Structures are given as C-alpha cells and as structure tokens.
Amino acid sequence: MLNRVRSAVAHLVSSGGVPPPRPKSPDSPNANSAQPASLPEAPKSPPARSGSGSGAPAKTVETRTSFSRPTFLQLSPGGLRRADDQAGRAVQSPPDTGRRLPWNTGYAEVINAGKSRHNEDQACCEVVYVEGRKSVTGAPKDPSPSQGLCFYYWGLFDGHAGGGAAEMASRLLHRHIREQLKDLVEILRDPSPPPLCLSSTPGASNPSHLVAPQSCWSSQKEVTHESLVVGAIENAFQLMDEQMARERRGHQVEGGCCALVVIYLLGKVYVANAGDSRAIIIRNGEIIPMSREFTPETERQRLQLLGFLKPELLGSEFTHLEFPRRVQPKELGQRMLYRDQNMTGWAYKKIELEDLRFPLVCGEGKKARVMATIGVTRGLGDHNLKVCSSTLPIKPFLSCFPEVQVYDLTLYEHCPDDVLVLGTDGLWDVTSDHEVATTVDRVLSAYEPNDSSRYTALAQALVLGARGTPRDRGWRLPNNKLGSGDDISVFVIPLGGPGSYS
Amino acid sequence: MLNRVRSAVAHLVSSGGVPPPRPKSPDSPNANSAQPASLPEAPKSPPARSGSGSGAPAKTVETRTSFSRPTFLQLSPGGLRRADDQAGRAVQSPPDTGRRLPWNTGYAEVINAGKSRHNEDQACCEVVYVEGRKSVTGAPKDPSPSQGLCFYYWGLFDGHAGGGAAEMASRLLHRHIREQLKDLVEILRDPSPPPLCLSSTPGASNPSHLVAPQSCWSSQKEVTHESLVVGAIENAFQLMDEQMARERRGHQVEGGCCALVVIYLLGKVYVANAGDSRAIIIRNGEIIPMSREFTPETERQRLQLLGFLKPELLGSEFTHLEFPRRVQPKELGQRMLYRDQNMTGWAYKKIELEDLRFPLVCGEGKKARVMATIGVTRGLGDHNLKVCSSTLPIKPFLSCFPEVQVYDLTLYEHCPDDVLVLGTDGLWDVTSDHEVATTVDRVLSAYEPNDSSRYTALAQALVLGARGTPRDRGWRLPNNKLGSGDDISVFVIPLGGPGSYS
C-alpha cells in the first residue's frame, strides 16, 4: 500500500502537556464488550516465512529481511527473487502446470515500484472444511455420522507500515472464520429459523426458545441464517485483530492491513471489506459494486463523533472539527469555514484557541489522513501505530469491523463471462470500474468459454493495465499518465463456470 | 403521530440504584461544541394560538385546550371545529377562493381517529426574503442598493406527546434558516468559491484567505455554495432545538416533532428530514426518493455506539446490546443471539447478569422503540422526555440534525405532472411510493395541465386514500385493510409549472 501511512509532519502543533494514557479497550468503539461465547484456538503464529529472495539489495534500512508470497504461486527461490524485483516488476500468477485455484479463479500480482522494500500485499485462496460441534442446539444426539460444511474463501490483504499484519491475516483469518462457523453447522443445515438460545452444555436440553412471548416486548425478532454467517465473519475479523494485539510483541506483527474477503457458502457469496480494497461484480456487462471503501473522508463523521465523545483520545494536539485547511494563529477571532460530527454541509465559526490544533481528519482523496498519519480507517493490526513525535495512539479511531455485502448466486443464471473482481487499491487508483468492465469483455471474449486459463489472463491484464510500462523515468499507462507504483493484487472469480460450486 | 411515544411497560427491570444525573449538553452527540458565530434573534414564542374549536368535547383529560391549524388553511371558527372533529375526519385544504400557495402547491390534511385530542401535525409554506448582512467578506462597500435573496419554504412537522413542539417549529424554523442565510447572501450571489474566512468585524479587510498554502497540510479543501446552504439548514435545526430547550419552561413546549423541510434557493431544491416523514419526487412516472427515515431500526448502530461509549446514559436499566427478544432470568448462562454496535449480523453469546437489562433498542417496524419509549430517533424538542417510572432522559439519544438531500431543478426539463410529494407517516404507513406514483398519474391526468387546482386535488386524493372510509367499526381502505388512524398531512409541490420559480 503506497503512502498509506504518512508520518505526521513538522507542522503539527507540538503537544505541551503530558501525553494521555492509552485508553482502555472498553472505551474503544472497536472493542466488543460482548465476547463471543468461545474463542477459537487459532494456530500459533510461526515466524514469518523466509524466502531466499532476501538476498536482493535492500533499498531502505529495515530490520526485517524475510518476506513471503502466497503459497499458491508455487514460487521457486528464483521465482521469489523475480517477484521481489522492483526494477522489473514482473507480473506473478499461479503456474499453468500446477493445480488450479478453486473455481478456476484467476490471480495476478505485481510488486510496488520501490515505496516499500517488499510487496506488502498478501493473498489467500482456500477451500475450508468446517466440522460441526455436536448438539449445540441441544437436539437429541444425531445417530448419523457428523456432517460438516465447506466454504470457499478468497482474501486480499493490503499491508502498510510493514508486511507482518497482512502476512498473519492471510494465514489465519479464514481459520477464525472456520471457528466461528463451527457452532453454526447444525443450524445452517436446518432450514428452520435459527434457535434463539443454545444450551450452555452440549447435549443438555434447551426449552427456552419454546417459551411463548409474555408481553409485546418479548415478541421475537426473526434472525436469518444469512445474518448468522455475517455475524460469524464480523466476529472473526475482531478475533483476528485481537490475536494480532496479543502476539505483536512476541512475533513482530508489523503494521496493519486492509482486508477484503469473499466467502461462498450454501449458495451465497459474502463480500467482507475493511479498508480501501474493492470488489465489483461484472454480470452481463453490468457493474454491481460489492464493497465500499473506508477512508478518513468516507468515515469522517464516525471519527469526529468519537473525538467529540472521547476528547481524551485527541490529546492536546488535535481538534475533532474539520476546517478546509490548517488554521493559522493570526486567524484567531476571524470566522472560518468548519464542519463538525453532525454536519455534512459547511458553516462559519469564530476561530478560538483550540481550533489551532491539528484537525483529526484532514486532506482530500488519496491524501486524506487521520491524525495526519493514516489514510485508511478500517483494517487489522496497527496496534502500535502512534502519531509522529507523540505517544498518542491512533488505533482507537480505526475499526477492525468489515462491512459485509451478500450476493445470492442462486438468483441469477450466470454465464462464463460473469466475474467477481477483487483488487487492492493499487488497481483502483488508476482503473475505474468501467475500465475493468471493458477489460473483462475484451480479454474473456478472446478465449473459449471453457478455457480454464482465461481468468488468470484477465487478472494479468488488469494488473498490467494498472502497472503500465517503464517509460520517461516512470511506469506509464498508454495515455502517458503515471501507472500505479503501489503493490497491485487481483483475484478474478468466475461466477458462471466452469468452476464447480458443489 | 400515532403511538409515536409509548410509555415503558411494567416489564422494565426496575432500577435499583440512584438515577444518574442528566448528562450535560457537551456530552450529548447532539450538542455542538462549535457554536455558530451568531445566534439569530428568533422571535419570542407567543402562547399557542387559541382556536374557538376548543369547545369540542375533550376525549381525554388534558390541560391544554387550545390548538391551531396552519394559517394558510384560512379556517373560520366553524372550519376549525370541523378540522378538529375526530368522528368526521374531514379532509382540509386551502380554500379555492383564497390566495394560492406559492408554486400552486397542493396541500391536504386530516386529523387522527382519536389517538390524541387534536391534530399534532403542523405545516408551513412561505416565501422568505433574506436581507444580507453588509460586507461580511470584507469587500469594499458595494455602492449599489443591498440585494437580498428569496427562498421558498415548505415544512411538515409531525408532533408527538403534545402539539407544542410541532406548533413552535412551524412558526419559527424558517426564521432560523433565514438568520443562518443572512451571512451568506453576498457569498451565494458571487459565482466564485466561498471565502475561507470572514472578517470578524464587518467592513474590515480579510487578507487571510489569500495566504498561499505553506505545506501539503495547508492545501485548501474546496467548499461549494451548495454545502453552505446545507450547513445553514443543519445549524438552523440545531438552533431551533436549543430554543425549544430554553423556552420549554416558560411556554409549555410540549413533546417533540419530526421535521421535514424543503427549501428552493437559486435553482436547487434542498430536502431536509429529521424523523419518519418522507419526501419523494415523481418525475415522468419514475420514483426518486428524497429522504430517509430515522427510526430505532435504521439508527440502531448509532444508538448502540452512544450507549457503549457513554454507559452512564443507560442508567442501570438498559443494555446497549440487542437481543431478538427480552432475556429472561432463567436464561442466565445460556447462549443467546445478540448483536452489538459493530455488527450487522447476529451471533451467540453467553447470557450474563447485565444482559437481563432492557435493551436500548427493541421491537420491529412501527413497534421499534428506544428505551421502550419513542419510535423516532431524530426531530426537535423532547427535552423533557424520560423513561417511564424513571428520571433517565431519552433526549441524549435523539438527534436534531436532519439529513439534507439536494436536487438540482435546472438539470432536467420538468413537465406539469412532475411533483415533489411530502407526507407525514400517516400517509406512508398505509401507502407505498408506488401507490403514490399511481395516484399522481391518475389524478393529474384528469385535470388540464394549467388547472391550478390539480395539485390540491392530488393532495386530497392522497390523504383520502390513506384515511379510508368509516366501515366495520373503523376507517377502512377499499381493500378492507385498516386505513391510517394517525394525523395525515401532504404537500404536493409541482416541479414543472405552472408555478413561477423566479
């Protein structure tokens, strides 16, 4: 992720007072006071995988010399070196000869042009089997052999300020999701509505959800199977984030990452996004957005409200008010444009002393920042992130919760050219949804519908189209504009075959 | 507004402790720490207008016997009595013989079927002239005569727990908007971007917005004229709410109200909504939603986040967690479905003692409530609203800020059948957007395009269609379903003529 975390500049008003203590977890909106009933025993994080490509000359001083690329790329030591070469920026895809990704998913990636030592994007694509816990609903013991559930999983993780968080998330997030789904196997297999209560001890009877409502207030809200899966994904993101917090000291979980995750389960596609990656479906040429980006601009009011309700999180350096630019001391007493947590419009206010503090949210577009530091407002990790020249933590303003959108695959007849495209911001910074749709049409129509290599070719075309070619001292697109110097990663998931969805 | 405020039922867990003090204003998310530069000198609220219809037999014991209807209805004492007759429920419109409403706006209303003593809806339709303050930008004094601005204004106010707030808002909100716009007259007339700063003293020079940016952080965000109008409307809502708070003791500002306001200014239509009224545009038969409703369901996560960050606002009676129904003491230790402020999906958690508290948000649809009491989450007033059998104030959870949507009238060629329809929830509870569009087509096609009575006929048809006719011990629609027993008020604003928009 290019420039995702920017150190606060020297123009920051220096803090005159003692830095406030880091707020306790329950004060943070990200903390969940209602702990899910059981924490999964997620596998211990091993040290980051070491690639022999670490011999490449480091461009910046960095203590971490090991790095990894997704296993499914099946890179040899030489391949790993080429993938890590920021001069050549060769596009990487799974080998033709190897085992194909599930659903014939296409994948391609390229390293950044030198903004970080290694590629800080990570990816994961797995078929995950979920073994159910027994008798969670308290039903009489089923004599038939226990049956589990399978889900298909794709994840893109765009790291910043180090590759540790993205690497850890790519190894573990799907396991957290699996753990969250274990309790639900029996329930999701049963077409009747989910039970209100589970017995606390497996096998015990559970009469509580049979009790008739006793007043209008006890009338029961209907909860769908789909919303249970959404809740499982949401809690898995939180547990992943908590695991990073626990293990950050022992295992050097560096930085943070955006997470864009797709799950296919029982006929439905769940797209969960925390950060500024993006997912779109192209169906019969039509663009269907499947995610929203979470940035200081799109989450301005959430951030300002938190700063307003918990001013101690702002220290003495920041104000929750937004101004069109930094207020200058000589403007004290004048009336300047501002907006607060309740406003979408702007108005004038008289400038007071505390308005001279740095605004919590500032800048526009790719330059928008929270606390003059970070340009994304949701994701995993970042537990150590502090405002430059300060001990003020930024994490309380960041949310680890994804927004989940659901797409029912059974409601439409999909053709082989219908695809779900996932990309990190390296793709979307220089490519519009419409341009992606055009490329989908152009590339797929050049291949037979049953040619299983067409989705990888499409992913490569998208990455190449965003990277450009070296020309005029930079990577440039055909229109001579600058290509993306960021890490770029793309999944192309066919929705209409030839993949098997059983 | 029917059943908008429901007293907490006896099933509430009684508070064992001392009730918490009412939180100070700065702790409320509705409070705006950044006071607009000047408070308008809004006219003093006179006592509620007394109608001679107060002679009608009161169905419930009520200290307040006076009531009023919108001035533009030009009701005689006899007309006021008929408008207040809950047995006949005669539809009221401005008289054919009188002065027409601006733009030939159509209006109709009907009183409720007995749920409150009087009609608690109020309406206002005005052309408002804004005289500019001089030299707010510090420009040299303009030798030409000072020019102001006109805006057209329509407001619907749906009261609950008394008619005072709606009545006050219908008299004063547009004046607050006028005050907020006074500073902007000169700026809105000038096609160049709004100045960043205004001089603190009229007539003084103001060089500050000419200072060149000195770093990337001082680069200036562009603010549009449109967003200044939005900000003016937002602050006017807040100032109206603050005035109600100040005057509630002296002038008996009873209850609260939803506010749906439309302003036409310089080619654009601004629709501001705080509550559960609704505005839609019907253009060439197409439905364009112009507002969203704010209810315990649509604002669940905002409410839960506030309860989570400020648990003192929940007292010892409420929990910020949501459960599908009230948790029972015998369910302690079991695992029940829940969701918190971060979740859109559901998951299971082990029930602990504090989960036995009443949920902050409960119920579904029209029965959804905050603190078991109120069914709308935005609006004006409600400063005295408490949880039943408790001193816990509900106001901190209510927002007085509207959401403002903007429609550029100059971007389309409108025909005489294109209309903006505003209605209180009495209309929308029993009428879908699609049914409104059908009625628009049916009624308007029965009139000549230049017949100025067609929009009032349409408003009457919409109100009649939602009220129904007395049959089988109730007000019933043609399909024999129950009509709305609520107050119903409708504006129909023609967008394509024959109104003059100059």
Side-chain angles (χ1 to χ4, degrees):
Chain A
M1 179 181 290
L2 177 65
N3 276 338
R4 179 60 59 235
V5 178
R6 180 167 220 158
S7 297
V9 291
H11 294 272
L12 256 179
V13 172
S14 62
S15 165
V18 178
R22 180 166 181 135
K24 287 173 193 164
S25 168
D27 281 344
S28 153
N30 304 332
N32 187 344
S33 67
Q35 284 298 338
S38 67
L39 286 167
E41 293 175 25
K44 294 293 175 199
S45 171
R49 274 173 271 169
S50 172
S52 52
S54 59
K59 288 177 183 171
T60 55
V61 178
E62 199 175 46
T63 53
R64 184 169 176 270
T65 52
S66 64
F67 68 98
S68 68
R69 300 310 312 145
T71 321
F72 60 70
L73 286 178
Q74 303 174 41
L75 291 175
S76 66
L80 198 59
R81 264 194 303 276
R82 280 189 295 279
D84 198 40
D85 171 19
Q86 291 170 319
R89 298 187 81 194
V91 175
Q92 306 295 319
S93 281
D96 271 347
T97 51
R99 192 171 60 88
R100 291 208 172 273
L101 294 179
W103 293 27
N104 278 327
T105 296
Y107 175 82
E109 63 164 53
V110 74
I111 193 172
N112 66 77
K115 296 295 173 174
S116 63
R117 174 61 195 88
H118 299 295
N119 188 339
E120 293 184 346
D121 283 1
Q122 291 291 346
C124 181
C125 180
E126 295 279 346
V127 186
V128 183
Y129 179 75
V130 190
E131 194 171 0
R133 281 193 250 274
K134 279 179 188 168
S135 299
V136 289
T137 60
K141 201 172 177 180
D142 189 349
S144 70
S146 171
Q147 280 188 302
L149 281 174
C150 257
F151 67 88
Y152 291 81
Y153 174 88
W154 300 260
L156 282 185
F157 306 93
D158 182 349
H160 51 252
E167 203 272 340
M168 188 174 182
S170 72
R171 280 188 296 108
L172 298 179
L173 181 54
H174 55 293
R175 301 190 189 188
H176 279 286
I177 295 172
R178 184 185 62 191
E179 289 297 317
Q180 292 299 304
L181 289 173
K182 273 186 178 173
D183 270 352
L184 305 178
V185 168
E186 207 177 316
I187 295 163
L188 295 176
R189 286 192 164 283
D190 184 344
S192 55
L196 184 67
C197 268
L198 304 183
S199 62
S200 51
T201 49
S205 69
N206 171 38
S208 70
H209 68 283
L210 303 174
V211 173
Q214 292 178 357
S215 80
C216 59
W217 302 115
S218 63
S219 74
Q220 189 169 323
K221 194 170 270 194
E222 204 166 291
V223 172
T224 62
H225 288 85
E226 181 181 306
S227 68
L228 287 186
V229 178
V230 172
I233 295 169
E234 289 171 329
N235 278 332
F237 270 68
Q238 183 179 33
L239 291 164
M240 181 75 251
D241 194 55
E242 288 174 358
Q243 186 181 2
M244 286 182 182
R246 283 195 308 276
E247 300 188 6
R248 62 185 151 156
R249 284 177 198 86
H251 294 85
Q252 290 289 330
V253 183
E254 305 160 299
C257 68
C258 299
L260 171 60
V261 156
V262 172
I263 283 164
Y264 172 80
L265 177 66
L266 296 169
K268 287 177 178 168
V269 174
Y270 299 81
V271 181
N273 189 42
D276 65 355
S277 297
R278 187 186 298 171
I280 63 174
I281 282 175
I282 311 291
R283 188 181 72 204
N284 199 20
E286 183 196 358
I287 296 161
I288 304 170
M290 289 302 296
S291 67
R292 284 192 307 148
E293 283 93 77
F294 296 97
T295 69
E297 282 184 301
T298 64
E299 295 219 278
R300 173 184 62 85
Q301 287 183 281
R302 176 180 77 75
L303 300 164
Q304 286 185 300
L305 177 64
L306 182 57
F308 173 72
L309 291 174
K310 297 270 178 192
E312 66 272 22
L313 298 179
L314 300 170
S316 53
E317 292 106 311
F318 292 94
T319 168
H320 77 284
L321 296 182
E322 187 188 14
F323 298 94
R325 65 154 168 72
R326 184 72 184 279
V327 183
Q328 296 166 24
K330 65 181 173 187
E331 288 162 336
L332 259 176
Q334 296 200 9
R335 294 168 62 206
M336 189 180 262
L337 285 168
Y338 84 103
R339 53 182 177 176
D340 69 15
Q341 71 283 355
N342 292 306
M343 300 168 72
T344 56
W346 293 82
Y348 291 93
K349 82 175 289 283
K350 192 172 172 181
I351 294 298
E352 293 159 49
L353 205 58
E354 67 182 24
D355 299 326
L356 297 179
R357 295 176 182 180
F358 206 84
L360 173 64
V361 175
C362 69
E364 283 182 288
K366 294 301 282 185
K367 290 184 177 170
R369 291 290 180 277
V370 180
M371 291 182 147
T373 305
I374 187 165
V376 281
T377 52
R378 299 208 188 188
L380 303 166
D382 288 317
H383 296 276
N384 292 327
L385 191 62
K386 301 280 195 298
V387 175
C388 185
S389 310
S390 163
T391 57
L392 205 59
I394 296 173
K395 182 69 177 173
F397 289 96
L398 309 179
S399 170
C400 65
F401 279 84
E403 185 176 75
V404 185
Q405 294 193 34
V406 187
Y407 181 83
D408 190 336
L409 213 56
T410 66
L411 289 183
Y412 306 90
E413 282 281 336
H414 292 94
C415 74
D417 288 3
D418 295 339
V419 291
L420 170 56
V421 177
L422 317 182
T424 52
D425 67 336
L427 173 68
W428 304 106
D429 285 349
V430 296
T431 322
S432 69
D433 293 2
H434 181 75
E435 287 165 336
V436 167
T438 303
T439 305
V440 167
D441 180 53
R442 177 174 56 80
V443 174
L444 293 188
S445 62
Y447 287 77
E448 290 296 321
N450 59 355
D451 183 337
S452 57
S453 68
R454 65 204 302 259
Y455 305 109
T456 294
L458 173 52
Q460 289 169 338
L462 289 169
V463 169
L464 271 172
R467 183 201 69 176
T469 48
R471 184 156 38 91
D472 297 341
R473 293 183 303 257
W475 292 85
R476 292 199 178 264
L477 306 182
N479 61 13
N480 214 36
K481 286 187 179 167
L482 279 175
S484 172
D486 201 355
D487 302 314
I488 312 168
S489 306
V490 172
F491 271 126
V492 175
I493 306 171
L495 297 177
S500 159
Y501 304 163
S502 63
Chain B
M1 180 180 290
L2 178 66
N3 277 338
R4 178 61 59 237
V5 178
R6 182 167 217 158
S7 296
V9 290
H11 295 271
L12 257 178
V13 173
S14 62
S15 164
V18 178
R22 181 170 179 133
K24 287 175 194 164
S25 168
D27 281 344
S28 152
N30 304 331
N32 186 343
S33 66
Q35 284 299 336
S38 70
L39 286 168
E41 293 175 25
K44 293 294 174 197
S45 171
R49 274 170 272 169
S50 172
S52 51
S54 57
K59 287 175 185 172
T60 56
V61 178
E62 198 175 48
T63 53
R64 185 171 175 267
T65 53
S66 65
F67 68 98
S68 69
R69 299 311 311 145
T71 321
F72 60 69
L73 287 178
Q74 304 173 40
L75 291 176
S76 66
L80 197 59
R81 266 194 302 278
R82 281 190 294 280
D84 197 41
D85 172 19
Q86 290 170 319
R89 299 187 82 194
V91 174
Q92 307 296 319
S93 280
D96 271 348
T97 53
R99 193 170 60 87
R100 292 207 172 276
L101 294 179
W103 294 25
N104 279 327
T105 296
Y107 175 80
E109 63 164 52
V110 74
I111 193 171
N112 66 76
K115 295 294 173 178
S116 63
R117 174 61 194 89
H118 299 295
N119 186 339
E120 293 183 346
D121 283 3
Q122 291 292 347
C124 181
C125 181
E126 297 278 347
V127 186
V128 183
Y129 179 75
V130 191
E131 195 172 358
R133 282 193 248 275
K134 281 178 186 167
S135 298
V136 289
T137 59
K141 200 172 178 180
D142 189 348
S144 69
S146 171
Q147 279 186 306
L149 281 173
C150 257
F151 67 87
Y152 290 80
Y153 173 87
W154 300 260
L156 282 185
F157 305 92
D158 183 349
H160 51 252
E167 204 271 341
M168 188 173 181
S170 72
R171 280 187 298 108
L172 298 180
L173 181 54
H174 55 294
R175 300 189 189 189
H176 279 286
I177 294 171
R178 184 186 61 190
E179 289 297 317
Q180 292 299 304
L181 290 173
K182 273 186 179 173
D183 270 352
L184 306 178
V185 168
E186 206 178 317
I187 295 163
L188 295 176
R189 286 193 163 284
D190 184 346
S192 55
L196 184 66
C197 269
L198 304 183
S199 62
S200 51
T201 48
S205 68
N206 171 39
S208 69
H209 68 281
L210 303 174
V211 174
Q214 293 177 357
S215 82
C216 59
W217 301 114
S218 63
S219 74
Q220 189 168 324
K221 193 170 270 193
E222 205 166 293
V223 173
T224 63
H225 288 85
E226 182 181 305
S227 69
L228 287 186
V229 178
V230 172
I233 295 170
E234 289 170 329
N235 277 333
F237 269 67
Q238 183 180 32
L239 290 164
M240 180 75 252
D241 195 55
E242 289 174 358
Q243 185 181 4
M244 287 181 181
R246 282 195 309 276
E247 301 188 5
R248 62 185 152 155
R249 284 175 198 87
H251 295 84
Q252 290 291 328
V253 183
E254 305 160 298
C257 68
C258 300
L260 171 60
V261 156
V262 172
I263 282 164
Y264 171 79
L265 177 65
L266 296 171
K268 286 178 178 167
V269 174
Y270 299 81
V271 180
N273 189 43
D276 66 355
S277 297
R278 188 186 297 171
I280 62 172
I281 282 175
I282 312 291
R283 189 181 71 203
N284 200 20
E286 183 196 358
I287 296 161
I288 305 170
M290 288 302 296
S291 67
R292 283 192 308 148
E293 283 92 76
F294 296 97
T295 69
E297 282 184 301
T298 63
E299 295 218 278
R300 173 184 63 84
Q301 285 181 283
R302 176 180 75 77
L303 300 164
Q304 287 185 301
L305 177 63
L306 182 57
F308 173 73
L309 291 175
K310 297 268 177 191
E312 65 273 22
L313 298 179
L314 300 170
S316 52
E317 292 107 311
F318 293 93
T319 166
H320 78 285
L321 296 182
E322 187 187 14
F323 299 94
R325 66 152 168 75
R326 183 73 184 277
V327 182
Q328 297 166 24
K330 65 181 174 187
E331 289 163 336
L332 260 175
Q334 295 199 9
R335 292 168 62 205
M336 189 180 264
L337 285 168
Y338 83 102
R339 53 181 176 175
D340 70 14
Q341 71 281 356
N342 292 307
M343 300 168 73
T344 56
W346 293 81
Y348 291 94
K349 82 175 287 286
K350 192 171 174 184
I351 294 298
E352 294 159 48
L353 205 56
E354 67 182 26
D355 298 326
L356 297 178
R357 296 176 182 181
F358 206 86
L360 172 63
V361 175
C362 69
E364 281 181 293
K366 293 302 283 186
K367 290 184 177 169
R369 292 288 179 279
V370 179
M371 292 182 149
T373 305
I374 187 165
V376 280
T377 51
R378 299 210 189 185
L380 303 166
D382 289 316
H383 296 278
N384 292 326
L385 191 63
K386 301 279 194 299
V387 174
C388 186
S389 312
S390 163
T391 57
L392 205 59
I394 296 172
K395 182 68 177 174
F397 289 96
L398 308 178
S399 169
C400 65
F401 278 83
E403 184 177 76
V404 185
Q405 295 194 32
V406 187
Y407 180 84
D408 191 337
L409 214 55
T410 66
L411 290 183
Y412 306 92
E413 281 282 336
H414 293 94
C415 74
D417 289 3
D418 294 339
V419 291
L420 171 57
V421 177
L422 317 182
T424 52
D425 66 337
L427 172 69
W428 304 106
D429 285 349
V430 297
T431 321
S432 68
D433 294 2
H434 182 73
E435 287 166 335
V436 167
T438 304
T439 305
V440 168
D441 181 50
R442 178 174 56 80
V443 174
L444 293 187
S445 63
Y447 286 77
E448 291 295 322
N450 60 355
D451 184 338
S452 58
S453 68
R454 64 204 304 256
Y455 303 110
T456 294
L458 173 53
Q460 291 169 338
L462 290 169
V463 170
L464 271 172
R467 184 203 68 176
T469 48
R471 183 158 37 93
D472 299 341
R473 293 183 303 258
W475 292 85
R476 292 199 179 265
L477 307 180
N479 61 12
N480 215 37
K481 287 188 179 165
L482 279 175
S484 171
D486 200 355
D487 303 313
I488 312 168
S489 307
V490 172
F491 271 126
V492 176
I493 305 170
L495 296 178
S500 159
Y501 304 163
S502 64

